[in-house]
């Protein structure tokens, strides 16, 4: 079955939020936000999150099977001149029923292509729970390198988790 990867828009806000809430419940240690913090957000709160910036500096990519959103990832590029060469990936999630089918890799491919199309983004960064070996293997498989682990970065249900920090260099010299 084919997966379509495309940017999300304002009309995708409720679908996005439904998948996000499912992710926050299913994988609470994968996100800095919690289900309790996110569950009461209104459409007015969610719509700006999924509406792409005109300059491409913010875009949520979704993976669709038929008409069902099954995965997502966000790319965020800062506006400050000194750090505009770096973009951040956030909120990566694939529904468990659709994992290990190339969807995560396809989402990453879309955001990497998007970053390259911006022209002057030299690197992508991301953080992932250090215990999430599946996600870490995926990031490494597409070329990200771990450059450190922050201890006790996340506190969930009385337990602390480290965050592995990754970078993917996009400049032509590497």
């Amino acid at each position: 079955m084919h997966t379509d990867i495309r940017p999300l828009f304002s009309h995708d806000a409720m679908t996005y939020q439904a998948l996000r809430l499912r992710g926050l419940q299913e994988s609470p240690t994968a996100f800095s936000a919690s289900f309790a913090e996110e569950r009461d957000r209104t459409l007015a709160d969610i719509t700006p999150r999924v509406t792409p910036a005109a300059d491409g500096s913010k875009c949520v990519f979704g993976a669709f099977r038929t008409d069902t959103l099954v995965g997502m990832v966000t790319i965020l590029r800062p506006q400050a001149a000194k750090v505009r060469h770096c973009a951040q990936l956030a909120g990566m999630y694939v529904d468990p029923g659709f994992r290990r089918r190339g969807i995560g890799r396809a989402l990453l491919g879309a955001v990497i292509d998007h970053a390259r199309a911006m022209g002057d983004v030299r690197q992508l960064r991301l953080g992932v729970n250090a215990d999430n070996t599946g996600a870490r293997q995926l990031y490494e498989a597409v070329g990200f390198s771990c450059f450190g682990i922050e201890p006790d970065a996340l506190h969930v249900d009385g337990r602390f988790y480290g965050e592995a920090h990754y970078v993917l260099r996009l400049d032509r010299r590497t």
Side-chain angles (χ1 to χ4, degrees):
M1 183 178 270
H2 181 69
T3 302
D4 291 316
I5 307 293
R6 69 165 175 81
L8 300 184
F9 295 96
S10 59
H11 66 271
D12 297 307
M14 293 310 295
T15 303
Y16 161 87
Q17 185 67 353
L19 184 62
R20 180 169 168 75
L21 291 175
R22 193 162 50 253
L24 292 170
Q25 285 184 302
E26 184 268 324
S27 300
T29 63
F31 303 96
S32 58
S34 71
F35 178 80
E37 293 168 329
E38 295 293 320
R39 70 175 166 223
D40 295 326
R41 297 232 186 248
T42 66
L43 184 59
D45 295 329
I46 300 160
T47 299
R49 286 186 179 180
V50 298
T51 303
D55 65 357
S57 62
K58 179 192 75 166
C59 188
V60 181
F61 285 87
F64 290 84
R65 284 282 173 102
T66 314
D67 291 329
T68 303
L69 181 65
V70 298
M72 61 189 172
V73 64
T74 301
I75 183 168
L76 301 163
R77 183 181 188 190
Q79 297 301 308
K82 292 181 180 180
V83 291
R84 281 187 55 78
H85 65 284
C86 302
Q88 182 81 23
L89 301 188
M92 175 81 172
Y93 180 73
V94 175
D95 184 285
F98 294 90
R99 291 182 187 161
R100 305 196 73 67
R101 298 182 189 187
I103 294 171
R105 183 182 291 266
L107 282 166
L108 290 172
V111 293
I112 291 167
D113 289 347
H114 181 81
R116 284 193 167 115
M118 285 190 238
D120 57 350
V121 174
R122 293 175 53 99
Q123 62 189 31
L124 294 174
R125 298 184 292 204
L126 64 86
V128 60
N129 184 319
D131 292 344
N132 190 339
T133 55
R136 293 184 69 182
Q137 288 171 349
L138 173 62
Y139 297 134
E140 291 168 11
V142 299
F144 281 87
S145 299
C146 183
F147 64 89
I149 296 178
E150 178 184 355
D152 298 345
L154 192 66
H155 186 243
V156 179
D157 295 330
R159 181 171 171 212
F160 288 95
Y161 297 86
E163 183 173 66
H165 296 277
Y166 279 82
V167 66
L168 173 67
R169 298 288 306 223
L170 300 176
D171 56 309
R172 305 286 186 240
R173 294 174 302 169
T174 60

